Amino acid sequence: IVHTGADNGEELVSAEDVLQWLRPFCAEDTYPVRPRIQVLQLLGQSFHLSEEDGKLLVFFRTEAILRAAWPQRQVDIADIENEENRHTLFSELLESSHREVEFQHLILLLQAWPPMKSECVLANNPWVRLVTAMLTRCTEENKQSLGDEVLKICRSLYNTTQMLPVEGVKELCLLLLHQSLLLPSLKLLLESGEESLQAMALEQISAVTKVNDSNCDQELLSLLVDARLLVKCVSTPFYPHIVGHLVANNQQGRWNI
């Protein structure tokens, strides 16, 4: 209702009023963080915010996340008022993070902030730094699930202002390969749509001598077909699996064979 009224030029309530009403809710630790962040994001989408209101909105988001995961770290509006300060805060929190719950809240934090665009930050992309920390600080037992989590994070950024550049995808995929997580790396390379990254995937596929659950699943086979790489896989152990996948799924009409 408020959003419709604002679009029609009505001033039933101002963004400033709503921000003040929502502040107690956002500061209430007994409520889960994610719905509090979603409410604030909805507010940002429903109003044409002034620069000051925009900063306040980012502050509320940041405060809610930090109170949940780093309650000892007091945050004020100066910590988030510009990109440089947000990057400094992120670096501080990343340096002290070693648990899965902390990494999950860092994901929420980056999603809650405007995308970082300055050259000095992009040279050290925060998403790449976060994933690097997750993979290098994880235990051997949860490495596989973290590989899936990295894939999930990258996919959540597709078609958003935070989408990773080609070099960022390449860096993450090399890191996954270094951690012996071939399958999620192949998926990211293939679905990037970038010829150079798909060529990297083919190099890795060509080096595989035996297909198993660690390097292949139904989704990967579909990605290979979607990328029109069937012919280039003829000489690899993946080829019979791709053909079998095509035949099994032909009835659905997804591909013409």
Side-chain angles (χ1 to χ4, degrees), residues 58-241:
V58 172
F59 171 69
F60 285 169
R61 292 173 180 171
T62 305
E63 186 179 48
I65 293 168
L66 264 67
R67 285 168 69 95
W70 300 275
Q72 75 285 355
R73 175 57 163 94
Q74 297 298 310
V75 62
D76 58 50
I77 203 156
D79 289 313
I80 56 85
E81 67 177 352
N82 57 49
E83 185 173 299
E84 182 180 358
N85 290 3
R86 290 194 295 272
H87 187 254
T88 299
L89 176 59
F90 170 77
S91 297
E92 174 193 330
L93 297 174
L94 180 63
E95 184 66 26
S96 66
S97 297
H98 294 85
R99 298 179 299 140
E100 182 179 353
V101 64
E102 292 167 331
F103 291 131
Q104 290 296 327
H105 281 82
L106 282 172
I107 293 171
L108 283 176
L109 193 64
L110 289 180
Q111 290 173 335
W113 285 350
M116 298 186 187
K117 298 179 180 179
S118 66
E119 290 186 13
C120 62
V121 173
L122 291 178
N124 296 281
N125 188 288
W127 288 104
V128 175
R129 292 179 61 200
L130 173 57
V131 169
T132 300
M134 290 171 65
L135 287 172
T136 54
R137 298 174 193 175
C138 74
T139 61
E140 196 67 31
E141 291 73 22
N142 66 353
K143 182 183 290 187
Q144 188 61 51
S145 62
L146 270 179
D148 295 335
E149 182 65 23
V150 171
L151 186 61
K152 181 180 175 182
I153 291 171
C154 292
R155 285 174 169 173
S156 74
L157 304 179
Y158 291 167
N159 302 315
T160 73
T161 54
Q162 306 243 26
M163 186 172 176
L164 289 175
V166 173
E167 284 304 311
V169 176
K170 180 179 179 180
E171 190 173 344
L172 285 186
C173 289
L174 289 173
L175 181 64
L176 288 166
L177 290 173
H178 183 70
Q179 297 288 329
S180 301
L181 294 169
L182 178 58
L183 187 55
S185 178
L186 289 176
K187 290 180 180 181
L188 287 177
L189 291 169
L190 289 170
E191 65 190 19
S192 69
E194 288 289 330
E195 188 175 341
S196 61
L197 297 186
Q198 291 182 345
M200 275 183 61
L202 284 173
E203 287 180 17
Q204 296 299 321
I205 286 172
S206 298
V208 172
T209 57
K210 183 179 181 181
V211 174
N212 54 42
D213 291 342
S214 71
N215 55 39
C216 184
D217 63 12
Q218 297 299 303
E219 184 180 44
L220 180 72
L221 297 174
S222 292
L223 288 172
L224 286 166
V225 177
D226 289 341
R228 302 182 183 278
L229 297 175
L230 174 62
V231 174
K232 294 184 178 180
C233 292
V234 169
S235 61
T236 74
F238 285 80
Y239 183 70
H241 295 270

